[in-house]
């Protein structure tokens, strides 16, 4: 299921980003994982994928919540940018100051062919944007479905999440953000 995929990704990605060793072998893994996440997040945010029940709403929200904090919040965004930067520096691939002309989309997203570090920032920002859109959509879905337990669970989760989201947005607005 998509929830299981998001939960596994949330567990697998942080250690991957912190792995010491050759980025050459690990970048394709990161690239494939992030592309897969983006495709699923896009499906959620564009309503191509909708939960069928209140329980699925809650499960999806929990999975996207975990995913956001593993891939799109401030620290993972910095780690992702540093990971890819290390790869490009070690392999001497950057050097062209000409930025890519293409607008980033789900279909052309890749960390494997970035002409400049500015393109990397754009890609990390895109990951954060698409993940946040899915998070927002899952939140909207759970908020619009009835049920006292869900309301309490949602409120508790929001009280946990809002300070971190505000801190992430504050970093973005002041230019300190990863991506």
């Amino acid at each position: 299921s998509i929830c299981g995929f998001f939960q596994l990704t949330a567990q697998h990605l942080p250690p991957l980003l912190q792995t010491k060793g050759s980025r050459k072998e690990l970048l394709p893994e990161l690239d494939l994982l992030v592309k897969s996440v983006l495709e699923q997040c896009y499906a959620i945010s564009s309503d191509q994928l909708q939960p069928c029940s209140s329980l699925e709403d809650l499960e999806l929200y929990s999975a996207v919540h975990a995913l956001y904090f593993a891939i799109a919040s401030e620290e993972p965004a910095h780690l992702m940018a540093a990971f890819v930067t290390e790869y490009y520096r070690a392999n001497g691939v950057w050097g062209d100051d000409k930025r890519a002309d293409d607008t980033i989309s789900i279909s052309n997203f890749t960390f494997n062919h970035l002409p400049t570090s500015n393109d990397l920032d754009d890609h990390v920002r895109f990951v954060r944007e698409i993940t946040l859109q899915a998070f927002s959509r899952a939140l909207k879905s759970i908020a619009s479905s009835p049920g006292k337990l869900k309301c309490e669970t949602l409120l508790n989760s929001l009280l946990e999440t809002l300070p971190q989201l505000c801190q992430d947005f504050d970093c973005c607005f002041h230019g300190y953000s990863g991506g």
Side-chain angles (χ1 to χ4, degrees), residues 27-100:
L27 186 67
E29 180 181 345
L30 175 66
D31 190 60
L32 180 62
L33 188 60
V34 171
K35 275 196 255 188
S36 299
V37 163
L38 291 176
E39 289 170 356
Q40 299 305 315
C41 284
Y42 181 75
I44 292 167
S45 63
S46 63
D47 288 332
Q48 295 173 12
L49 180 71
Q50 294 182 5
C52 299
S53 68
S54 298
L55 186 57
E56 285 182 8
D57 277 340
L58 190 54
E59 185 181 359
L60 181 63
Y61 173 78
S62 296
V64 175
H65 178 269
L67 183 69
Y68 173 80
F69 286 103
I71 196 172
S73 67
E74 195 61 30
E75 184 180 351
H78 280 285
L79 288 173
M80 192 178 333
F83 182 99
V84 177
T85 298
E86 282 180 40
Y87 167 81
Y88 279 95
R89 285 188 181 149
N91 293 297
V93 183
W94 277 334
D96 184 3
D97 288 335
K98 187 171 187 260
R99 292 184 70 168

Side-chain angles (χ1 to χ4, degrees), residues 66-142:
L67 183 69
Y68 173 80
F69 286 103
I71 196 172
S73 67
E74 195 61 30
E75 184 180 351
H78 280 285
L79 288 173
M80 192 178 333
F83 182 99
V84 177
T85 298
E86 282 180 40
Y87 167 81
Y88 279 95
R89 285 188 181 149
N91 293 297
V93 183
W94 277 334
D96 184 3
D97 288 335
K98 187 171 187 260
R99 292 184 70 168
D101 293 330
D102 297 337
T103 301
I104 304 168
S105 69
I106 299 298
S107 61
N108 71 5
F109 181 92
T110 185
F111 284 131
N112 288 323
H113 308 288
L114 298 174
T116 71
S117 60
N118 289 330
D119 290 303
L120 171 59
D121 288 341
D122 292 343
H123 277 66
V124 171
R125 197 173 299 117
F126 183 76
V127 169
R128 295 183 83 179
E129 175 188 350
I130 297 299
T131 306
L132 195 55
Q133 286 175 359
F135 183 78
S136 174
R137 180 63 186 100
L139 181 61
K140 180 180 173 187
S141 180
I142 197 171

